[in-house]
Amino acid sequence: PTARGSAKRTRASPHQGRIVAIAWIQTRRFAIERSIRTMVRVYLDLERSGEALGRMVFDLFEEACPQICENVRALCTGEKGNHPSTGNMLTYQGKIVDRNVPGKVMEIGSFENTWNGNESVFGEPFHVSPGERKHNTSGLLSTVPDEQGRCGSRFAVTLGKCEDRDGTCSVFGTIVRGYGVLREIESFPTNADGCPTPQVDIASCGELEPSDFGLVPDQHGDPYSTWPQDHPNMSSQHFANRLAAAAFIKQLGNAFYAEKRYEDALKKYGKAMRYLEKNFFGTAEYISQETEEKRIQAESRIPVLLNIAACNLCLGRNGAAVQACNGAQRIMIDAKDARIKPEWRLKLLRRRADGYIGCREFESAVRDLGMCLKINPDSARDHNALERAKKLLRSKKEAEKNAFQTAFAGGQIF
């Protein structure tokens, strides 16, 4: 073909030196590699205070922004070793989320002892021309130029429309997994500089095959992503898949509870609740299907909330236990078609009563335990618990009475 033949003639021309020939070979090699590798996919594993938050996976637009994409890719793999001038290890591992501006951007990738935090596997930061892609949605990767307009390791992930970045920054990638992780980090409190507190660390990072979404079971054998929207076939419309996943995750929580690992159990129960979320259309077309799904959803969520209450009681978080029980009660009231088991009502009332006692709200505990006896009049357990709650209530009132009399002793009013 003509193009290849003309290239060969150029290489063999007596007017070209050896340097030109080598440059031509390198250009052809990079072109071939880029045509084979149609997409670059990288990931960051994030944690906070030693607790894993999850994985964010990004696709990089290498054709549009080859230099910045190669820099970010190499910093994810850590393949370049140490920088010859700064001495920095050229990897994102161990770095933190630098800045979080809710609704705008989250910035990552600042290095110490560098040009305004921008590190480069090419030696020094480099210029990247603003592209035509607009910052018109969340989850886009955008360059963070320094004062001289040069780019490097620092980049931003948009948390919404960022039209002010158009024309000055370049979009070079997008998030494909870990959107829930992104939103969770967005909700964290920040210090005066906008850095999340406690800080969010990059525990590990790397490159993936274009077909690999980086889904790996956790150390407990849980194959499901932290957030359902990051897992294949787990959209709100794949409700049957979500139900199966939630049941599996709940069982892991139950196993932790049996081992008295209450914090781990709470994490699994919270994750199961996320998988049980569902957006309903409420239209006549789907009314029959959605009525059944609402019933199943309610019957699945109630026991999880009651388990959350049990964990919080074991951890001494009485207010959180009461809150979980109140959530279960609201579902019982709203889900009219759900088949509510009597044992669920008893667990709700007993656990909420224990939470009220821990919060010194003895009157509320007496009320709930009295309702338990209406459901199960022969329960010696509930009789004893009720008498204990009444005794605590009498003691509280007596203490309040004595305190009042002491405060106003001698007729002095302040």
Side-chain angles (χ1 to χ4, degrees):
T2 305
R4 183 175 298 176
S6 63
K8 288 182 178 179
R9 285 193 298 272
T10 302
R11 183 179 61 173
S13 171
H15 303 288
Q16 300 293 333
R18 184 174 178 178
I19 294 177
V20 175
I22 294 174
W24 179 88
I25 294 171
Q26 290 179 333
T27 302
R28 292 294 297 165
R29 178 168 62 84
F30 291 142
I32 292 170
E33 288 180 353
R34 191 168 297 163
S35 65
I36 296 173
R37 186 177 64 185
T38 57
M39 180 176 61
V40 178
R41 179 165 289 175
V42 296
Y43 70 89
L44 303 177
D45 288 330
L46 298 146
E47 65 179 21
R48 185 189 192 206
S49 301
E51 178 183 335
L53 296 174
R55 171 172 290 185
M56 290 197 296
V57 180
F58 306 107
D59 280 351
L60 308 182
F61 305 148
E62 189 183 32
E63 290 187 4
C65 307
Q67 195 169 16
I68 185 67
C69 289
E70 173 59 19
N71 194 57
V72 169
R73 185 203 66 78
L75 289 171
C76 283
T77 64
E79 64 192 52
K80 301 296 184 180
N82 293 78
H83 194 284
S85 299
T86 65
N88 287 328
M89 185 67 181
L90 295 171
T91 176
Y92 284 126
Q93 185 173 356
K95 301 300 177 285
I96 67 171
V97 172
D98 303 309
R99 196 165 70 101
N100 179 25
V101 184
K104 298 295 288 183
V105 295
M106 181 178 74
E107 293 185 3
I108 301 173
S110 181
F111 281 67
E112 296 180 355
N113 306 318
T114 59
W115 301 266
N116 296 316
N118 263 325
E119 186 63 281
S120 170
V121 300
F122 301 110
E124 294 187 4
F126 45 86
H127 289 276
V128 176
S129 300
E132 297 180 357
R133 292 177 185 265
K134 303 296 183 182
H135 297 76
N136 55 4
T137 188
S138 58
L140 298 176
L141 273 61
S142 176
T143 56
V144 180
D146 61 19
E147 295 178 354
Q148 301 178 27
R150 301 179 303 174
C151 301
S153 57
R154 295 176 63 196
F155 67 91
V157 186
T158 60
L159 302 172
K161 288 185 177 181
C162 298
E163 297 173 348
D164 56 312
R165 302 180 74 86
D166 293 342
T168 57
C169 304
S170 181
V171 175
F172 68 92
T174 184
I175 189 170
V176 292
R177 285 290 184 272
Y179 196 79
V181 178
L182 178 68
R183 288 305 184 190
E184 184 178 10
I185 296 173
E186 181 184 12
S187 69
F188 291 161
T190 59
N191 60 21
D193 297 324
C195 181
T197 55
Q199 72 182 29
V200 176
D201 302 290
I202 300 175
S204 61
C205 48
E207 184 177 8
L208 299 169
E209 292 296 324
S211 59
D212 185 0
F213 284 98
L215 299 174
V216 293
D218 65 11
Q219 64 269 35
H220 311 301
D222 184 353
Y224 297 103
S225 300
T226 306
W227 296 83
Q229 55 265 52
D230 294 329
H231 203 89
N233 300 319
M234 286 291 174
S235 70
S236 182
Q237 303 315 309
H238 291 90
F239 192 57
N241 294 348
R242 286 197 173 202
L243 284 173
F248 179 88
I249 297 165
K250 177 192 169 190
Q251 289 303 316
L252 290 176
N254 291 347
F256 286 137
Y257 184 85
E259 297 172 2
K260 298 184 179 181
R261 296 168 59 181
Y262 303 120
E263 290 285 7
D264 289 330
L266 276 175
K267 293 172 186 175
K268 293 303 179 184
Y269 292 142
K271 182 176 175 179
M273 289 296 291
R274 290 196 291 272
Y275 273 80
L276 289 171
E277 293 176 359
K278 162 77 174 176
N279 296 323
F280 295 102
F281 292 106
T283 59
E285 181 182 359
Y286 300 99
I287 189 67
S288 177
Q289 173 186 338
E290 291 191 347
T291 299
E292 178 65 9
E293 288 178 343
K294 286 180 180 179
R295 179 187 67 78
I296 297 172
Q297 182 192 48
E299 294 173 2
S300 301
R301 294 173 75 186
I302 290 170
V304 177
L305 284 168
L306 295 177
N307 290 354
I308 289 174
C311 287
N312 280 310
L313 286 173
C314 293
L315 292 167
R317 300 169 186 167
N318 300 295
V322 171
Q323 186 177 7
C325 289
N326 288 339
Q329 186 178 53
R330 283 192 295 270
I331 295 174
M332 291 181 182
I333 295 171
D334 295 339
K336 299 178 181 178
D337 297 324
R339 294 187 286 267
I340 308 301
K341 297 180 181 180
E343 64 192 67
W344 291 349
R345 297 186 188 277
L346 283 171
K347 286 182 178 180
L348 186 156
L349 293 168
R350 288 168 178 167
R351 290 173 186 177
R352 188 166 65 181
D354 287 342
Y356 280 139
I357 289 173
C359 295
R360 299 186 57 78
E361 297 180 25
F362 303 124
E363 291 183 358
S364 297
V366 168
R367 179 198 64 209
D368 278 358
L369 291 168
M371 293 176 67
C372 285
L373 287 172
K374 289 182 179 179
I375 298 173
N376 191 9
D378 299 326
S379 172
R381 169 187 173 180
D382 294 331
H383 273 290
N384 294 335
L386 178 59
E387 289 304 315
R388 175 174 172 265
K390 287 181 177 179
K391 183 178 179 180
L392 290 169
L393 179 59
R394 288 193 297 268
S395 298
K396 178 183 177 182
K397 288 184 176 180
E398 187 67 24
E400 290 174 348
K401 179 181 176 181
N402 293 336
F404 182 82
Q405 290 176 343
T406 302
F408 291 96
Q412 296 180 359
I413 299 178
F414 301 95

